């Protein structure tokens, strides 16, 4: 019995050392991945990277990770030739297979979300256009309040309208106003609509990911993304 107790104590100690080594290894891997993302994306803040699953060492040896969660702040994307700041970007990558040199990977599936502040959306819009919260319409569709000024008949006319914001294709957000008051001024509606209605293509999405849906909140727009066989460069 004494020998059995000693064996049990040794097993517990060795198990604890393995867990400690495993946690140390996963911490180093998360830190290295975060530094690479910060450098490649030109971020001011270091992103948060969390590698799920236990043990990590066996996952690393097989080059297959169960799940990797990433949160980034202050990402800059390109939209229709204009810079578009994404204040917060999250991604949950599942069944991630790494290549032999650990320089790239493919996630079997991925979900995520991007939060766009109204000030950042206004910056990415046409000149003189301001975007704000517009609530939901009667059908429950997300809306934004878009304000723009146009010059007509020698004077500047400003209009604020509620526009529906939606996903149009795999990488494009669309804003469309259902109604623009023209006040009987010829051509006013077309001029205002030319500024207020627009599509914004979000460049830089990883291969295999696409925009899913858009929801407006009081402090910005939340865009969800989904993907299959998502390719990730190192």
């Amino acid at each position: 019995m004494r020998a059995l107790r000693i064996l049990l104590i040794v097993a517990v100690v060795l198990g604890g050392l393995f867990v400690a080594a495993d946690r140390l290894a996963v911490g180093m891997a998360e830190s290295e991945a975060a530094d690479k993302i910060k450098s490649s994306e030109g971020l001011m803040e270091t992103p948060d990277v969390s590698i799920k699953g236990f043990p990590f060492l066996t996952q690393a040896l097989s080059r297959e990770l169960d799940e990797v969660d990433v949160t980034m702040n202050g990402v800059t994307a390109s939209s229709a030739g204009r810079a578009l700041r994404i204040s917060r970007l999250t991604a949950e990558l599942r069944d991630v297979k790494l290549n032999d040199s650990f320089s790239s990977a493919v996630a079997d599936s991925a979900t995520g979300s991007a939060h766009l502040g109204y000030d950042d959306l206004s910056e990415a819009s046409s000149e003189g256009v301001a975007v704000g919260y517009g609530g939901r319409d009667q059908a429950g569709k997300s809306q934004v309040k878009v304000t723009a000024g146009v010059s007509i008949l020698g004077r500047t006319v400003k209009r604020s309208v509620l526009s529906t914001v939606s996903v149009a294709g795999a990488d494009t957000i669309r804003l469309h106003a259902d109604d623009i008051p023209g006040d009987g001024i010829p051509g006013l509606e077309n001029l205002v609509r030319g500024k207020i209605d627009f599509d914004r293509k979000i460049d830089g999405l990883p291969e295999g990911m696409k925009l899913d849906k858009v929801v407006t909140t009081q402090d910005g727009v939340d865009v969800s993304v989904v993907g299959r066989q998502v390719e990730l460069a190192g």
Side-chain angles (χ1 to χ4, degrees):
M1 290 295 293
R2 186 169 182 274
L4 183 59
R5 285 197 299 272
I6 293 173
L7 181 62
L8 181 60
I9 292 171
V10 170
V12 170
V13 171
L14 290 176
L17 290 174
F18 174 76
V19 171
D22 189 82
R23 294 300 88 192
L24 179 62
V26 73
M28 292 175 62
E30 290 170 345
S31 179
E32 179 70 17
D35 288 341
K36 283 188 175 181
I37 293 172
K38 180 181 180 181
S39 176
S40 64
E41 297 295 330
L43 303 177
M44 296 297 293
E45 298 180 27
T46 301
D48 179 65
V49 177
S50 177
I51 300 175
K52 307 294 186 180
F54 179 83
F56 165 72
L57 290 173
T58 57
Q59 295 184 73
L61 288 172
S62 65
R63 297 192 299 278
E64 294 185 8
L65 305 179
D66 294 340
E67 181 180 342
V68 181
D69 295 344
V70 181
T71 300
M72 294 178 282
N73 296 318
V75 178
T76 300
S78 176
S79 175
R82 290 174 175 264
L84 174 61
R85 183 180 180 275
I86 301 172
S87 55
R88 185 177 67 255
L89 179 65
T90 65
E92 297 81 40
L93 312 168
R94 294 175 179 82
D95 297 324
V96 180
K97 295 177 176 60
L98 304 163
N99 71 351
D100 291 343
S101 62
F102 294 89
S103 61
S104 65
V106 176
D108 182 64
S109 64
T111 57
S113 64
H115 182 77
L116 311 173
Y118 291 119
D119 287 345
D120 297 320
L121 282 171
S122 297
E123 287 289 331
S125 303
S126 300
E127 182 145 0
V129 174
V131 183
Y133 180 56
R136 305 272 184 101
D137 67 7
Q138 292 182 346
K141 292 181 180 179
S142 293
Q143 291 183 309
V144 292
K145 181 181 179 181
V146 185
T147 303
V150 296
S151 179
I152 187 169
L153 301 178
R155 62 190 181 97
T156 299
V157 178
K158 183 173 287 189
R159 286 290 182 271
S160 293
V161 301
L162 292 176
S163 294
T164 299
V165 56
S166 60
V167 170
D171 59 359
T172 303
I173 297 174
R174 173 168 295 166
L175 272 71
H176 177 75
D178 294 330
D179 181 54
I180 297 177
D183 293 344
I185 303 175
L188 176 60
E189 179 177 348
N190 289 338
L191 284 173
V192 175
R193 192 172 290 280
K195 275 199 169 186
I196 286 180
D197 286 356
F198 55 82
D199 291 355
R200 284 294 179 264
K201 182 177 179 180
I202 308 300
D203 297 328
L205 290 175
E207 185 70 26
M209 292 203 79
K210 63 179 182 179
L211 304 182
D212 183 35
K213 62 181 180 180
V214 180
V215 176
T216 56
T217 67
Q218 290 188 351
D219 61 347
V221 173
D222 290 325
V223 184
S224 61
V225 295
V226 296
R228 300 285 299 179
Q229 295 299 303
V230 178
E231 298 182 10
L232 307 164

